[in-house]
Amino acid sequence: EMVINQVICISADSASEIQSWLKRSKLSPAIRIFADPQLMWINEYTAISDDDGTKKENPWSMAMLVFDTNGEVCQRNQNINPSHATQLVLNAMNNLSSL
């Protein structure tokens, strides 16, 4: 099974902002991105805070979590420069496919 079929992105952005980013990023094949503007999932998985729950200085920056097959976080990238987001996603997918 292709790794891309297992990729799900969660964003605090609105659905329309996500669609705009997908068009600009030209990811092929496209990835699934879900909107979480109320930050329910993002807060649950500490995507905008440290493991101890301390909020980051800039909580609106990008973060990426990669989960293993047991649902545990195996990679966490925070404060991602948005101009590098596409390459970071592609790198994570390549790393997972080599496991």
Side-chain angles (χ1 to χ4, degrees):
E1 182 177 346
M2 288 183 55
V3 172
I4 192 68
N5 295 335
Q6 300 175 33
V7 173
I8 298 173
C9 298
I10 310 295
S11 174
D13 294 331
S14 69
S16 62
E17 289 171 312
I18 292 168
Q19 288 297 323
S20 177
W21 181 81
L22 283 171
K23 286 178 186 173
R24 287 191 315 273
S25 71
K26 299 179 183 173
L27 282 175
S28 181
I31 57 175
R32 296 174 291 168
I33 302 180
F34 295 96
D36 183 20
Q38 288 80 31
L39 306 178
M40 293 169 49
W41 189 94
I42 290 170
N43 283 326
E44 176 73 21
Y45 286 93
T46 65
I48 58 173
S49 62
D50 289 324
D51 288 330
D52 66 2
T54 305
K55 295 287 183 189
K56 294 288 186 185
E57 283 183 35
N58 184 9
W60 300 113
S61 65
M62 281 184 126
M64 183 180 77
L65 305 177
V66 178
F67 294 86
D68 64 17
T69 56
N70 297 317
E72 300 293 324
V73 176
C74 63
Q75 179 183 333
R76 177 182 289 144
N77 299 92
Q78 295 178 310
N79 298 317
I80 297 169
N81 180 331
S83 67
H84 300 133
T86 302
Q87 190 59 50
L88 188 61
V89 169
L90 292 172
N91 290 345
M93 291 186 325
N94 286 335
N95 291 340
L96 285 173
S97 66
S98 66
L99 293 177

